[in-house]
Structures are given as structure tokens and as C-alpha cells.
Amino acid sequence: MIHKILLKDLSLGPRSPILLWALVLPIVLTLLIRMVFGSLFTSEPRLGIVDLGNSAIVAAAGQLDGIQVTFPETPEELRQQVEAGNLDAGLVLEAGFDDLVRSGAQPELSFWVGGESLASDRIILGVTAMDLVRAMSGVGSPVDVSVVAIGDEGLELTVRMLPMLVIMAVAIAGVMVPAASLIEEKTRRTLSAVLVTPARLRDVLVAKGLLGAILAVLTGVMTLLLNSAFGNAPLATLLAVTLGAIMMAEIGLILGSWAPDTNTMFAAWKGGAILLLFPVLFTIWPSLPQWIAKLGPTYYFLQPIFDLSINGATFADVAPQLVIAPPSALPLSPSFCDSEGRSKPGWSAERSLPSRHRSASRGSVRGTASCAVIGPPCPVLQTKSRSRRRLPRCGPKLRPYISTTHWRHGHLWETGRDAYEAEDARDVPNTTRDRPSIRSGTRKASGWKLTGPSATWRAAPAIPRR
Amino acid sequence: MNPTAIGAIVAKDVKAFVRDRFYFFMTILGLVFYVGAFWLLPSTVDETIEMGVAQTGLDAYFDGLATEGGLTITPYPSADALETAIRSGEGPAVGLAFPPNFAADIAAGKQTTVSLFVTAEVPAEVRGGLSSMVREMAYLAAGSPPLVTLPNEKEVLLGVDRAGDQVSLQETMRPLFVFFMLLVEMMALATLVATEIQQRTVSAILVTPTTVTDFLIAKAILGTVLAFSQAVLLMLLIGSFGTNSAVLLVTLLLGAILMTGFGLWAGSAGRDFLSIIFWSMLFLIPLAIPSIAVLFPGTAATWIQALPSWGLVEAIVGATAYGDGFAELAEPLVSLAGWCVVAFAAGLVVLKRRVVRL
């Protein structure tokens, strides 16, 4: 049943904007962040060189570290680009320039500086050009420069933003897709229609969760591939992404079960997402106290991903953190029901669904809290009377169902919220509410013989009368 | 045209906008966020390299360097003092330590070593540039003349010299904030239109004396007024109105019309909240590119200049950061106006087709 629901969601998925959004957003985010932060905060000086001869300076310029060197075709084009601010400086090497320098003729250097270039870049490019000429001349430098690095080398901002990209990719697919899918099913009442089949609510939740988790793994992997960040232990990285995807899918199920509509879902996401996203801030700014990041559940899959893909960690290094990830995800599990339909301790997504979807019975349900709705063993409504005008307080054992249509004939009846099946038509109270609107079926002596979806209801074993 | 009907529809839609908690909240939140972010962004550009120097006998050279701009030089008594200051974080991030008899040793033809202290965050180009500078100093100290003749400074500099007067990140982010403000209003309009279509209230409206034209005009007025008023409010709060207020107002009005056109389009195509977000995202990606491109130095590529929002971004930056007037901004304003006509006409056509087919 789970795979059928999953296949249905997958086949209908491409029609959903949020699914496309979840798939497209990681790519767009990666591109935007690489575009904006890749050079915005590390703006390198840009030098253009036009070589009209065959100068050795060109090869040396190509080796410069930290300076973007481009080679326009003509001096006019170079001048235009420098003037427009597309280049910080331009150097034109006339034909025979190298020979003139080596002969000591002191040729004029055609060096242009853009008006919009930073003062610091002007100095750097100016002295670099002079140094290139000196190096080409072959005269040895009378001084050695010893560079003494102080402190640890930091990571680039784009690298430190990798956890943010991963969690955005995993969270949008893992949280939003199942949540939006559940909400759509609820608002369009197709969830109730699904639940009149043998599918249990648990099946629906697991299928939606699987959908979110699969998509989250896909988008997470796609993001890591786009950023060339799969590291030396790809399987361990995949495991960490999978654990994160499961966690996000469970949060998505809770969100989808709780939120009555998409607006509320988005508002809750905007308000609550910080609780999931805040560990990434501590990677972006490593000087912040790192222990705070460990308070967030997402830390236990984000940090392993970061360590595996960037810091070159192995599976053994990140195993302690990965071990913590499943326990932090388990309490969110929607399928915390045993085979008898009883719920186990822990917050389940199913509990947060509205009661009409969670359980058909609104009376005094004895035994267990509802977990699964349809199929044996179901919660049993114990009633005391057989009043034909009001809800029975006692009498037949009724099997609760959920129905979107209003049945009240034969073996099936509805109280306005929930539908029930009785073994005998006489047990059905003759309430005036919710007149039957059966669309298919044939009348029989004992009531209605239902066709269509009802066939599966009748297939369920009847509960013997007292 | 029925002005009373148009007024009534606009008034109804304004009420619906205010009642839509999501968009109303997003508008207020966006306004607060953009204004806060704007004033938190750096309003100046740091274009100098702060450097500590421990040297003897090179005062004249470094005094000359300090006057050229781009370098802030702090003297230190010794290499140890300089290194200690850099390690403690109290000093600059870069330091040059010359040996005590540097000039004399070089002049005597001795090979010497100069230490360049750098912290981890110092970029490679600064390390390379300062190494080159030390080598050039050594050549000069050794009596080696420059190998080339440097041209006149005026001949070297191309374009307007903005040294010390660079456009700050605060200035360049201004169009992006305006763009996102207009985007929220575009989505709000799209939602109003989509709701009207999906709930078939438009059919109810059209059985009254109100015509389709009245309906379209009302939606267009609503979208433009909403977007324009929010954009003007944002610009007021971030202090953008100065000498070129007229240019800026015209630019914002055209921007509002442009986004209204796209809003009508998204509203006609979208079925619900999610599909409107999807359609808005489709418009957002190309429209946001000029706002992001302006963060980079230099002129935008030709294909970026062909995008609808390029004129809006260029005109805002030109009017607020460079003080340009109508004459200087004629090209982006004409481009923006042209796209306004296209987007608005397309939006109206799509909406009209949806309405008449109901």
C-alpha cells in the first residue's frame, strides 16, 4: 500500500510547483552563492594584457596568484574595458618590448588604470607590472622576501557556506514536499478518500515521508555534486545526507499534519526554520562558540557532511556524530505504531493530525489510543443504548471508518464526522442527520450491497455481536 | 469606462490585501528587514592596505608611498614588536620587517632578506604585491634605474577617478532591496487576481455594469499603486531622495508598472498560492540578475542589459549613487519604459483571456 501511495505521489509530483521548486532551488542557490559570494568578498584585482609581440611577460602574468589576468585582442578593446570598469588596469606590450627593455632603452610602458579601481588595487597592479618587467629582464633581485604566515589558514566563504546550501536543499525537499502534499490531501479531502481504502494513515504518512526523504537525498547529492564536495568518503557522505533527509522528512510530516493550509505552513516554516538552520551560522562564522551549534539536531548530519567533504575526514572520524543523528530523528517518527495499531510513547506526526483523520471514533474509545484507523484491530466504540434518535450509548459494536461521503443506510452510517459499519442494519441509528447520498450499490433485504470502494470495507472481518 | 466601479474594485482589493495576513506581514517584515539591513551595511569602501613597517633608513621612501594613497603605514621599532602586534591581533594584518642595514647592504651588493608577516586572511594578491614592492625598493636602493619609462599620470587614468569616493555596498544593494519589495507586491497582486479567478468572483463582478476593461484597469491601478507606494516608502526610509527625486520617482513608477505587468501574468497563470510562488520564481530569476550584477564592478554584459529589470537597476544606481539626471539615464529609462509596455500589455492580454473564458 505504501508503494502505491508513493507511486501516486511521484506520478503527480511533477504537476506540483513545490516539487519543481525543491529541485530547482538548490541549483539556483548554488549558482547565486557562487556568483555573489564567490567574488563579492574576494574581489581580485583584474589586469588586462595585450601582447603585440611575443613577450615573455604574458607567460609570467598567467602564473600570478590572486590577480585575474585577461587578454583582450586589441589595445582599443583593452582601453574600452579599463574605462568601463571591467578591468582595474591594462598593460600593452608593444612589439619588441622585451628586447628594448633588455637593451636598456627604457621604453615607455603603456599602462592604464581604471578610474573605478580601488586605490589598493592600483598599487598592487602597478608594482606587479614593474616586477614582471624586472623578472623578464633577467636581472636577479638583490633581496629575498620571506613570507611568514601567522595563524591558521581560513576557509573561503563559499566553502563555509556549503552546510547552508546542503540544508536548504535537503530541507526544502524533505520538509516542504511531504508537508505540502499532506496539506493538499487534507484541504482537497483526498486524504479521507484514501483512508476509505485499506490504506492506513500510517501508510500514507510513511509514503509521504519516503517521498520527501528520497527527494531530499537527491537534492542533497545534487548540491554536493554541484559544489564538488563529495570528499574522500562518498558512502559516508551519502549516509549523512540520508540521515538528514529522513530527519527533514519527519519534520515535514509533523508540519504537514499540523498546518491547516499552505499559508500557515509557510508562516510556520519562516518562523521555525531558524531552529533547524542555526547550526550553519557556526560554520560560516567559525569564531562563534561552537558548542551552541551542537544544540541543533541538524548539526549531527551537517557537521559530518562538512567534515567529510571539506576537512577530509573519514567515516571513523564522523561516526560519533552520525550515531547521534538517528536518535534525534526517531522521536519524530510517524510510524511509531505496533502491529496492533497501538501507539508507542513519543510524539508522532499522526497524533498531530486532526482527530477526524486520526480516528473515526469520537466517543469513549476503550483500549488503545488510535494509531491505525482501518483494519483489525480497530478501536471499539462501547455504547450503552440503542436509541434510534440519537447516538447509541450502548449496543452493537461498531467499526469506525472515515468517509467523505455521507452514508447512512444498511450497514454503514455516519454521525456527521465519522462513519461506522454495523453488522446488522437494525443496529444503525436512524438519525436525521446526514441523509444518505449513496452513488453506487444495490438494495438488499438487509440494507445495501455496496460496490466500488465499499467492497474493501465489506472484506474486513466483522466483529461478532454480543 | 466606469470610474465608480473601478474605484469600488480597487477599494475591495485593498481591503483583501490588508486582510491577507501573509502578504501584509511579508510587506511589513520586508520593509523592516530591508531598512535595517540597509543601515547595517557598510556605507564606505575600504580601499587601503593597513601595513606595519619595521625599518631604519627608509623613511623617505615610505613617506612618499604614504602620500600616494592606498597604503596606511604604521611604524614599529623592531621586527619582533611588529610580529607580536600582528600575532596579538592588535596590529595590522600585514607587516614588513627590513634588516637594520638594508639600504647599505643592498648598495654594497649584499643579498638580504626582508620578512613579510601576513595573517591567514590576507589575500594572495596583497602578499604578491607587497613582495613586488620590496623587490622594486631593493632595485632602487641598489641604484638600478627603472627599466621602463612611466607615462604621465593623467594619461594612465581612464574614466572618472573614484579613488576615495567608491560606490559602497550600501549603495549597490539599494536596487536589490527595491526589487524584492516590488516582487512581494507583485506576488500579492498575483494572489488577488488568482483568487478572483479561482473563486469566480470575477464572473459575479462582470454581471454588474462593470466591464472587463474596468476590471483590468482596476487591477492595473491596484498593482501599480501598491508597488509604487511601497517602493517610495522604502526609498524614503533609506534616505534615497536627494537632488534627483524626480528621476527616482519616475524610475520607481516605471518599475511598479513593470512588476504589475508580471503580477497580472502570474496571477492569470497561477491556480493557488504554490503555483503563484512558482510563477513568481520563474520571473524572479531573470529579473533578479541585473540587481545582482550591479554588485560586481564594471558594466553589465549585453545580455544582462537586455533583461527587463536592467533599466530599473541602472536608473536607481545612477540617480542615487552617481547623482545622474534624466539626460544621463535616458538609455536605461527608455529600456525600462519599453519593457513596461511589453510586460503590462502581456499581463493584460493574459488576464483578459482568462477572464473572458470563465
Side-chain angles (χ1 to χ4, degrees):
Chain A
M1 192 52 68
I2 293 171
H3 77 278
K4 285 184 180 173
I5 301 171
L6 182 61
L7 285 175
K8 185 264 297 180
D9 283 339
L10 279 173
S11 64
L12 294 177
R15 295 180 203 171
S16 164
I18 204 152
L19 187 65
L20 294 175
W21 192 34
L23 291 174
V24 169
L25 199 68
I27 301 170
V28 173
L29 268 180
T30 300
L31 293 177
L32 279 179
I33 284 177
R34 284 199 165 258
M35 276 170 62
V36 175
F37 297 107
S39 60
L40 186 64
F41 292 101
T42 57
S43 56
E44 296 175 335
R46 299 155 299 163
L47 174 67
I49 298 178
V50 175
D51 184 15
L52 298 174
N54 191 18
S55 176
I57 289 176
V58 173
Q63 306 294 319
L64 288 173
D65 198 12
I67 295 177
Q68 291 178 26
V69 183
T70 51
F71 302 97
E73 294 291 322
T74 61
E76 291 73 29
E77 188 189 341
L78 176 67
R79 189 183 178 95
Q80 201 176 16
Q81 290 202 25
V82 173
E83 199 161 6
N86 296 333
L87 290 171
D88 291 314
L91 178 64
V92 180
L93 301 168
E94 303 289 345
F97 179 80
D98 291 10
D99 294 336
L100 286 171
V101 168
R102 288 190 190 113
S103 67
Q106 290 188 314
E108 185 169 329
L109 188 71
S110 300
F111 186 73
W112 297 318
V113 174
E116 291 186 11
S117 60
L118 299 179
S120 54
D121 289 346
R122 296 179 190 184
I123 287 182
I124 289 169
L125 292 174
V127 295
T128 302
M130 295 299 286
D131 202 33
L132 285 169
V133 174
R134 291 274 187 191
M136 180 272 296
S137 70
V139 180
S141 172
V143 69
D144 295 320
V145 180
S146 166
V147 179
V148 182
I150 295 172
D152 296 328
E153 289 279 343
L155 292 168
E156 283 183 19
L157 186 67
T158 45
V159 175
R160 284 183 275 139
M161 290 184 97
L162 178 71
M164 194 192 81
L165 284 172
V166 171
I167 198 167
M168 289 300 284
V170 173
I172 295 290
V175 176
M176 304 303 267
V177 169
S181 179
L182 259 179
I183 288 168
E184 192 181 13
E185 297 257 27
K186 283 194 296 182
T187 51
R188 294 189 176 181
R189 296 188 175 271
T190 47
L191 179 60
S192 302
V194 170
L195 292 178
V196 299
T197 70
R200 296 179 177 199
L201 187 54
R202 181 168 53 186
D203 300 335
V204 176
L205 291 176
V206 171
K208 303 277 182 202
L210 269 176
L211 174 73
I214 290 168
L215 286 173
V217 170
L218 279 176
T219 52
V221 167
M222 193 164 65
T223 305
L224 288 172
L225 285 174
L226 282 172
N227 289 278
S228 308
F230 241 95
N232 299 323
L235 284 178
T237 310
L238 186 64
L239 175 67
V241 172
T242 308
L243 283 172
I246 293 169
M247 187 188 291
M248 291 297 112
E250 289 172 351
I251 292 167
L253 290 177
I254 291 168
L255 180 62
S257 305
W258 168 78
D261 52 48
T262 40
N263 280 8
T264 312
M265 179 189 79
F266 273 96
W269 173 250
K270 282 181 184 297
I274 187 66
L275 297 173
L276 299 175
L277 302 183
F278 82 87
V280 303
L281 301 176
F282 295 84
T283 317
I284 296 173
W285 291 287
S287 57
L288 294 174
Q290 295 294 308
W291 64 269
I292 300 174
K294 295 180 181 175
L295 299 177
T298 50
Y299 170 85
Y300 296 98
F301 76 89
L302 283 175
Q303 192 60 35
I305 291 173
F306 189 68
D307 289 341
L308 287 163
S309 54
I310 304 299
N311 295 333
T314 60
F315 178 71
D317 298 330
V318 299
Q321 288 166 336
L322 284 178
V323 166
I324 298 173
S328 61
L330 269 179
L332 307 170
S333 173
S335 302
F336 242 43
C337 303
D338 60 17
S339 59
E340 298 298 311
R342 287 187 289 268
S343 48
K344 290 178 178 175
W347 187 26
S348 75
E350 190 175 338
R351 283 185 173 188
S352 58
L353 276 170
S355 57
R356 68 192 167 88
H357 288 134
R358 191 173 68 220
S359 167
S361 61
R362 296 282 297 169
S364 57
V365 179
R366 287 189 181 176
T368 66
S370 66
C371 202
V373 178
I374 296 175
C378 287
V380 175
L381 188 67
Q382 301 286 346
T383 54
K384 290 184 179 176
S385 75
R386 278 193 177 189
S387 167
R388 296 175 67 83
R389 284 293 172 189
R390 58 188 174 85
L391 271 174
R393 310 243 352 136
C394 180
K397 289 181 179 176
L398 301 170
R399 304 205 51 198
Y401 290 99
I402 294 173
S403 171
T404 49
T405 53
H406 293 176
W407 308 93
R408 198 199 62 76
H409 39 265
H411 295 212
L412 302 165
W413 61 282
E414 184 182 275
T415 65
R417 291 184 66 91
D418 312 315
Y420 301 92
E421 181 191 27
E423 187 186 358
D424 194 295
R426 289 172 300 173
D427 296 329
V428 177
N430 184 22
T431 69
T432 54
R433 287 183 297 174
D434 304 317
R435 285 292 174 194
S437 58
I438 189 167
R439 293 197 179 95
S440 64
T442 54
R443 180 140 196 168
K444 297 191 78 176
S446 59
W448 290 82
K449 175 179 172 55
L450 302 172
T451 57
S454 60
T456 55
W457 305 0
R458 305 225 1 137
I463 298 173
R465 295 188 67 197
R466 281 188 299 187
Chain B
M1 196 169 75
N2 185 347
T4 313
I6 293 170
I9 296 171
V10 170
K12 175 203 68 118
D13 283 340
V14 169
K15 279 183 190 169
F17 170 75
V18 174
R19 283 176 189 161
D20 189 327
R21 279 179 292 178
F22 178 75
Y23 285 114
F24 194 67
F25 175 71
M26 287 300 292
T27 302
I28 303 293
L29 184 74
L31 207 55
V32 172
F33 174 78
Y34 300 140
V35 171
F38 179 84
W39 292 115
L40 286 174
L41 284 170
S43 58
T44 55
V45 178
D46 182 12
E47 51 180 336
T48 58
I49 300 169
E50 290 185 18
M51 182 174 69
V53 176
Q55 53 82 24
T56 48
L58 298 169
D59 290 340
Y61 187 86
F62 281 104
D63 288 346
L65 267 182
T67 56
E68 286 183 11
L71 275 177
T72 306
I73 297 167
T74 309
Y76 282 84
S78 66
D80 290 340
L82 174 62
E83 186 177 353
T84 306
I86 294 173
R87 281 190 190 281
S88 65
E90 293 170 359
V94 186
L96 278 174
F98 289 83
N101 300 315
F102 174 77
D105 288 348
I106 290 288
K110 278 186 183 177
Q111 189 78 13
T112 58
T113 302
V114 172
S115 297
L116 171 62
F117 298 107
V118 287
T119 55
E121 66 266 21
V122 173
E125 68 268 19
V126 173
R127 298 177 189 201
L130 290 179
S131 299
S132 298
M133 192 178 78
V134 170
R135 280 193 288 271
E136 190 58 29
M137 281 174 66
Y139 281 120
L140 294 175
S144 173
L147 298 178
V148 290
T149 308
L150 293 173
N152 186 303
E153 192 179 339
K154 286 183 180 174
E155 291 174 13
V156 168
L157 196 71
L158 302 179
V160 180
D161 187 4
R162 294 202 177 276
D165 185 30
Q166 300 285 346
V167 177
S168 66
L169 188 62
Q170 198 181 53
E171 295 287 341
T172 51
M173 287 292 281
R174 209 190 297 261
L176 198 64
F177 291 151
V178 172
F179 173 75
F180 280 115
M181 200 76 215
L182 292 175
L183 183 81
V184 171
E185 301 315 313
M186 180 191 98
M187 288 168 68
L189 175 69
T191 304
L192 288 172
V193 170
T195 308
E196 198 104 63
I197 291 170
Q198 294 306 313
Q199 295 182 350
R200 304 282 176 133
T201 46
V202 61
S203 304
I205 289 172
L206 293 180
V207 296
T208 68
T210 308
T211 62
V212 174
T213 309
D214 297 336
F215 178 79
L216 296 177
I217 290 171
K219 294 296 173 196
I221 289 174
L222 173 81
T224 307
V225 168
L226 269 182
F228 180 65
S229 58
Q230 304 290 337
V232 168
L233 184 61
L234 176 66
M235 284 301 205
L236 273 174
L237 292 174
I238 61 177
S240 304
F241 286 105
T243 51
N244 295 312
S245 302
V247 181
L248 198 56
L249 281 172
V250 170
T251 305
L252 294 179
L253 181 63
L254 289 173
I257 294 170
L258 179 79
M259 298 307 264
T260 301
F262 286 115
L264 294 176
W265 201 341
S268 309
R271 286 179 293 111
D272 50 25
F273 181 75
L274 286 180
S275 54
I276 286 166
I277 285 186
F278 176 68
W279 277 100
S280 304
M281 285 288 162
L282 277 186
F283 292 130
L284 162 77
I285 293 167
L287 292 176
I289 288 172
S291 314
I292 295 167
V294 80
L295 298 173
F296 297 88
T299 49
T302 313
W303 67 272
I304 294 177
Q305 294 183 22
L307 293 170
S309 55
W310 174 77
L312 174 69
V313 171
E314 278 295 303
I316 290 174
V317 172
T320 56
Y322 299 120
D324 293 344
F326 281 109
E328 292 88 350
L329 296 172
E331 187 190 345
L333 284 175
V334 168
S335 163
L336 179 60
W339 274 111
C340 278
V341 173
V342 173
F344 207 71
L348 284 177
V349 167
V350 174
L351 179 59
K352 188 174 181 181
R353 280 167 62 92
R354 279 300 302 271
V355 169
V356 295
R357 283 183 179 184
L358 284 174

